[in-house]
Amino acid sequence: MKGIMVMGTASDVGKTMICTALCRILSDEGLKVAPFKSQNMSGFSIALNDGKVMSRAQYLQAEAARTKPLIEMNPILLKPTKNMKSEVFLLGERFGEIGGMDYRKRYFETALQTVEAALAKIESEFEMIVIEGAGSPAEVNLNDREIVNMRIADMADVPVLLVADIERGGAIASIVGTIMLLEPEHRMRIKAIVVNKFHGDPALFKEGVEFIESYTNIPVVGILPYMKDHGIEEEDMDRPTAAVSDDRDVYDEWARHVKAHLNWPLLKEIMSGRVKE
């Protein structure tokens, strides 16, 4: 399958927003592109016309991609409830309320089959896929049963773009540490790195880029400056975004901002499968 999977060195590094931008950029180039997140844990959802429930993030990414939101774009939704449990939706329909250990022990195979079927449908109907990971792929205690990161990259057979948040500090260590904790075959899937939420002149991070690229042998394809008031509802945002005028296309503005700071020709080659080992 042609496309990319966006993973992060941690939660809240900007995976959702970068996927949103990539959906609009690829749509601008005339491609039929689908967002995808195998499993999203979020209290924010949207009901489709048929009543099925999907995460708000993938719904908005579908809007950015200028395509009809399909439940297969988010086949599993976990809505946190109380007592460390979640309300589980499989392909938009309520499956039940279960705890984390029960989910891992009893429902893993069902969840995996659900994801496989959803990916197959997306592949049959779209030219390109933009997959969002969750948390970090270096959470080694979860790797045997995870269905949100490298297992999905393997299933879809797509390259990985690794995102780090420089705003929180320690970006270089988080990039290198994440890569070093992966199995060798999964390190090979990471084809590009983005440093996100940069404040100031990106030229000031030139030596940081040089170190990352020399140490990992993976290109840094973007240093993305922090953008305030982009007007797009972010993952798990529980308040309205800043008011925007009716004639402002926030997806276009955000996509232009991201693309201006990417090595887009290289990233496009990676997504098209023309960059090999």
Side-chain angles (χ1 to χ4, degrees), residues 13-203:
V13 298
K15 297 183 292 289
T16 300
M17 292 297 294
I18 290 174
C19 286
T20 302
L22 293 178
C23 283
R24 176 50 59 98
I25 294 168
L26 290 165
S27 174
D28 285 344
E29 299 207 349
L31 292 166
K32 189 177 182 184
V33 56
F36 185 84
K37 187 167 184 176
S38 56
Q39 176 178 281
N40 200 339
M41 178 173 279
S42 175
F44 298 91
S45 61
I46 289 180
L48 304 182
N49 290 337
D50 59 5
K52 293 183 178 179
V53 178
M54 70 185 297
S55 74
R56 182 178 68 186
Q58 278 62 64
Y59 183 94
L60 297 179
Q61 287 167 357
E63 282 191 342
R66 300 187 179 94
T67 192
K68 177 183 177 182
L70 301 177
I71 201 62
E72 285 82 7
M73 294 171 179
N74 174 218
I76 304 174
L77 174 63
L78 307 179
K79 300 185 76 170
T81 55
K82 57 185 178 179
N83 300 322
M84 299 181 68
K85 292 186 176 182
S86 293
E87 189 177 13
V88 180
F89 292 82
L90 298 183
L91 291 175
E93 297 184 354
R94 192 179 186 278
F95 187 72
E97 185 178 271
I98 56 176
M101 193 57 69
D102 281 343
Y103 183 80
R104 282 167 60 87
K105 287 181 177 179
R106 297 171 53 199
Y107 300 104
F108 175 76
E109 291 301 329
T110 298
L112 196 59
Q113 292 168 10
T114 301
V115 173
E116 288 174 337
L119 265 177
K121 180 174 177 62
I122 295 294
E123 184 174 16
S124 70
E125 296 188 10
F126 292 86
E127 299 173 278
M128 189 78 72
I129 188 169
V130 175
I131 305 176
E132 181 181 339
S136 163
E139 293 165 347
V140 295
N141 57 308
L142 303 177
N143 283 349
D144 63 327
R145 309 289 280 181
E146 68 92 5
I147 53 170
V148 291
N149 286 313
M150 283 298 178
R151 181 175 271 107
I152 303 304
D154 287 343
M155 195 182 298
D157 194 18
V158 291
V160 171
L161 170 66
L162 183 66
V163 180
D165 176 1
I166 200 168
E167 188 177 47
R168 65 179 64 195
I172 293 175
S174 66
I175 291 167
V176 172
T178 296
I179 293 168
M180 291 301 103
L181 284 172
L182 297 176
E183 295 296 327
E185 65 269 24
H186 289 152
R187 291 180 203 163
M188 298 298 292
R189 280 214 176 268
I190 300 179
K191 300 299 184 184
I193 296 166
V194 159
V195 176
N196 195 24
K197 303 182 188 178
F198 196 89
H199 293 261
D201 184 353

Side-chain angles (χ1 to χ4, degrees), residues 5 11 22 71 77 118 128 130 156 159 164 223 234 250 266:
M5 185 161 187
S11 298
L22 293 178
I71 201 62
L77 174 63
M128 189 78 72
V130 175
I223 307 294
E234 295 189 52
V250 293
L266 176 56

